[in-house]
Amino acid sequence: MQLGYLPRLSVIHTSAKQSGQIYIPEVNTALGLACVALVLAFRSSTSLAAAYGLAVVGTMGITSLLFFFVARDRWRWNPVVAGC
């Protein structure tokens, strides 16, 4: 928010002793609405579980691909070693 990329949001500091512990009501509301929308869109726990599984597989695939590129280009690993 300080960089000006996000609109003004209300930030509530939840602890005076712990820095970084914040609560942003607008984000919490958006997450709640997104969860309700997902439940209404998928209509059954089976299809919601299948979508979750696809999301996990996609995340793992993208992470593996990014690791390969970092290992090959940044760390100068052999492409065969980076791909194993």
Side-chain angles (χ1 to χ4, degrees), residues 33-57:
L33 291 173
C35 287
V36 170
L38 280 174
V39 169
L40 293 176
F42 284 102
R43 294 192 177 154
S44 73
S45 59
T46 305
S47 57
L48 189 59
Y52 177 74
L54 287 174
V56 170
V57 169

Side-chain angles (χ1 to χ4, degrees), residues 11-24:
V11 177
I12 300 169
H13 295 273
T14 59
S15 174
K17 296 179 183 178
Q18 291 282 356
S19 63
Q21 298 291 321
I22 61 172
Y23 171 70
I24 304 173

Side-chain angles (χ1 to χ4, degrees), residues 5-81:
Y5 294 131
L6 293 173
R8 288 287 215 188
L9 300 173
S10 56
V11 177
I12 300 169
H13 295 273
T14 59
S15 174
K17 296 179 183 178
Q18 291 282 356
S19 63
Q21 298 291 321
I22 61 172
Y23 171 70
I24 304 173
E26 294 88 357
V27 172
N28 195 31
T29 302
L31 287 172
L33 291 173
C35 287
V36 170
L38 280 174
V39 169
L40 293 176
F42 284 102
R43 294 192 177 154
S44 73
S45 59
T46 305
S47 57
L48 189 59
Y52 177 74
L54 287 174
V56 170
V57 169
T59 301
M60 290 173 61
I62 291 170
T63 303
S64 299
L65 190 64
L66 289 174
F67 175 79
F68 171 78
F69 287 124
V70 168
R72 189 190 66 179
D73 296 336
R74 197 84 153 145
W75 300 333
R76 306 280 185 226
W77 286 13
N78 184 345
V80 175
V81 173

